Amino acid sequence: MATQTTASCTGSTLLQPLSEMINLPLDQVNFVACQLFALLMAVWFRLYLHPSKTSPFIRHVVATLLGFYLALFCFGWYSLHFLVQSGLSYSVMVFAGLENMHKYCFIVTLGYLICCQITRVYVFDYGMYSADFTGPMMVITQKITSLAFEIHDGLAKREGLTANQKYLAISRMPSLLEYLSYNCNFLGILAGPTCSYNDYMAFIEGTGYRPRHHENANGKENGKYKQTEPSPKNDVISKLCTCAVSLGIYLSLYKLLPVDYSINDDFVNSTPFYLQVIYLYLAMLALRPKYYFIWTLADAINNAAGFGFNGYNKDGSPRWDLISNLRILDIEFATSFKMFLDNWNIQTALWLKRVCYERCPVNPTAATFLLSAMWHGVYPGYYLTFLTGIAMTMAARAVRHNIRPYFLVSDSYKRIYDVITWASTQVAISYTVAPFVLLAVGSSLKFYRSWYFCLHILCLLVVLALPVKSRRRQAKGQQDGALDKQPDHNSTDNNCNQKDKTS
């Protein structure tokens, strides 16, 4: 208990009475209060520090100072780690050679994050699953490493880049103020999401409403819909309503359906297996709204400031999902493991794709899962989850390639396939993620033993019985075929499009 009190008091104690009144940890109350304050500041930032009214320099300074204030309020002097991590990485960017700068920066940034995670978990408060100072550092790590690769692509590599990498490439070294503003601005300092440096600079400079390289979906980006700056008001209100519903569901259900009850000896011994499966699904269903609340609120804050515009829908309405981190309905009704992952923590998935999957020459799937585990933290449950995720991904890929075609002969067969794969996906996700929630290796292995490692065994059998080519070999074969049919000047864009479809 003393450790918990000490951890909570690293930030401001101004809201301690409110914390005791609603019976929630102080650090969580501070977090929500700061995010609501950031929402108000975002509206003010858009109205009174609009790019048409002030300079990018002022916007950078205000965004950075507000970010530092929120960090100090939530995490106290632990927030100095944000500056130390950013400072070390910037030094590497400035003084290391361009050819290897991105690699050194990746090692230094991720290494510093892991050292802080080890200290927090094994020195201070092992088992505390609450707001902590390494959470913002995870987002800062994403931003720094992405920036390093984008600088390398823009100043050193230049050739052999995909169309998306060319768009993200940076042609000059950011100033220290631009760098700190990107990493520590008040819009994303507490919960992200991460974003590309070019998109953030376009927001600061007021050029984010111009057509992007991937736009022109309806052919009207340069027409009448581009004459006025779109308002984020409707999307912000909609996302705040989603936050309220998600928070209400989470606070109502998370204590009634704790995940760790699934390894309770009495529950395991007295409950039929099919009811254990149903309970695990419901427990995970009750847990997810916590993340829906955090990420949707973070998205609403960015949108309220004018950041996140992503073109227009076919009906001409503006899209504010450039940095959205999830699609709730696609998650809850996902019919494949990949579909679930593609719609969960979207910006982190893009980061993993850009810095690891697209660049790793050997077994990119395994390397990506390993990097994801290292980035999340040092709890053993994280590694069990992502190791299981590798097996699940391979098995799901084999099933989709070998069995799905037989169900596409009619609409009724397709609906049957969708129902079966929806149920299978929800069970597989719940089974895979359980150690991520349980954290400790003992609890995680106890859970898997209570299920007799059944899905691990099933995945192994499926992979052995239904082998498929790796996605990278498939992509290469498809690209080679496309190159035979297309003129040479389109080869880069074809490669980019193929990669997007197969990753």
Side-chain angles (χ1 to χ4, degrees), residues 17-93:
L18 177 61
S19 171
E20 295 173 354
M21 184 186 306
I22 61 179
N23 195 28
L24 285 175
L26 178 60
D27 51 4
Q28 293 184 11
V29 174
N30 282 347
F31 170 83
V32 174
C34 283
Q35 287 294 76
L36 294 177
F37 175 75
L39 179 65
L40 295 176
M41 289 297 98
V43 175
W44 172 81
F45 193 82
R46 180 172 182 267
L47 294 178
Y48 295 98
L49 292 182
H50 192 273
S52 63
K53 299 179 180 179
T54 190
S55 66
F57 176 81
I58 297 298
R59 284 167 64 84
H60 278 307
V61 170
V62 172
T64 305
L65 292 179
L66 283 173
F68 287 150
Y69 172 75
L70 294 180
L72 280 170
F73 190 93
C74 277
F75 307 109
W77 294 111
Y78 280 134
S79 56
L80 287 177
H81 284 291
F82 308 165
L83 285 177
V84 174
Q85 184 188 35
S86 298
L88 287 174
S89 301
Y90 192 73
S91 299
V92 172
M93 291 181 186

Side-chain angles (χ1 to χ4, degrees), residues 191-440:
T194 190
C195 61
S196 77
Y197 178 80
N198 283 340
D199 287 335
Y200 180 73
M201 289 300 294
F203 156 69
I204 289 292
E205 295 170 358
T207 61
Y209 303 107
R210 297 176 183 174
R212 301 177 187 279
H213 74 300
H214 58 276
E215 288 186 356
N216 203 29
N218 59 10
K220 297 182 180 179
E221 277 64 26
N222 294 316
K224 64 180 182 179
Y225 298 128
K226 281 290 178 179
Q227 299 303 314
T228 59
E229 181 179 311
S231 171
K233 181 179 68 174
N234 292 338
D235 287 78
V236 171
I237 292 174
S238 174
K239 289 173 183 179
L240 291 178
C241 291
T242 300
C243 289
V245 172
S246 299
L247 183 61
I249 293 174
Y250 173 70
L251 294 177
S252 300
L253 296 180
Y254 84 104
K255 288 185 178 179
L256 297 177
L257 296 166
V259 176
D260 56 5
Y261 187 66
S262 63
I263 60 172
N264 179 276
D265 291 333
D266 293 336
F267 173 78
V268 172
N269 294 330
S270 62
T271 306
F273 184 70
Y274 75 93
L275 290 180
Q276 294 183 42
V277 174
I278 294 173
Y279 178 85
L280 180 67
Y281 166 69
L282 293 176
M284 291 298 178
L285 186 65
L287 182 63
R288 284 197 287 271
K290 170 184 176 180
Y291 299 94
Y292 296 163
F293 168 75
I294 293 172
W295 288 335
T296 305
L297 179 57
D299 196 19
I301 292 169
N302 282 271
N303 293 168
F307 187 26
F309 175 71
N310 195 26
Y312 293 84
N313 295 307
K314 291 182 178 180
D315 61 359
S317 60
R319 291 168 51 199
W320 289 89
D321 61 355
L322 178 65
I323 54 173
S324 294
N325 229 357
L326 50 81
R327 303 182 187 97
I328 296 175
L329 293 180
D330 290 336
I331 290 170
E332 296 301 341
F333 295 100
T335 56
S336 71
F337 203 81
K338 181 181 183 299
M339 182 178 176
F340 188 103
L341 297 181
D342 284 347
N343 293 287
W344 174 269
N345 207 352
I346 295 170
Q347 300 307 317
T348 292
L350 286 175
W351 170 69
L352 291 168
K353 174 186 174 184
R354 291 167 180 169
V355 304
C356 184
Y357 187 87
E358 291 182 337
R359 301 175 190 267
C360 183
V362 180
N363 204 338
T365 298
T368 301
F369 274 106
L370 177 60
L371 173 58
S372 184
M374 295 172 64
W375 173 79
H376 275 91
V378 293
Y379 288 111
Y382 295 165
Y383 291 84
L384 287 174
T385 284
F386 289 109
L387 287 173
T388 303
I390 297 173
M392 291 290 180
T393 300
M394 295 174 63
R397 190 178 298 167
V399 169
R400 183 174 181 83
H401 281 253
N402 289 276
I403 296 179
R404 184 172 182 267
Y406 294 103
F407 286 85
L408 299 181
V409 295
S410 69
D411 290 340
S412 58
Y413 277 40
K414 178 64 167 58
R415 283 192 290 268
I416 293 172
Y417 177 84
D418 287 342
V419 171
I420 294 173
T421 52
W422 171 82
S424 302
T425 297
Q426 297 304 320
V427 173
I429 287 290
S430 300
Y431 178 90
T432 302
V433 173
F436 192 96
V437 180
L438 296 172
L439 300 179

Side-chain angles (χ1 to χ4, degrees), residues 152-161 166 171:
H152 174 262
D153 289 343
L155 297 179
K157 192 174 182 181
R158 296 182 182 177
E159 295 181 357
L161 301 176
K166 289 179 180 178
S171 57

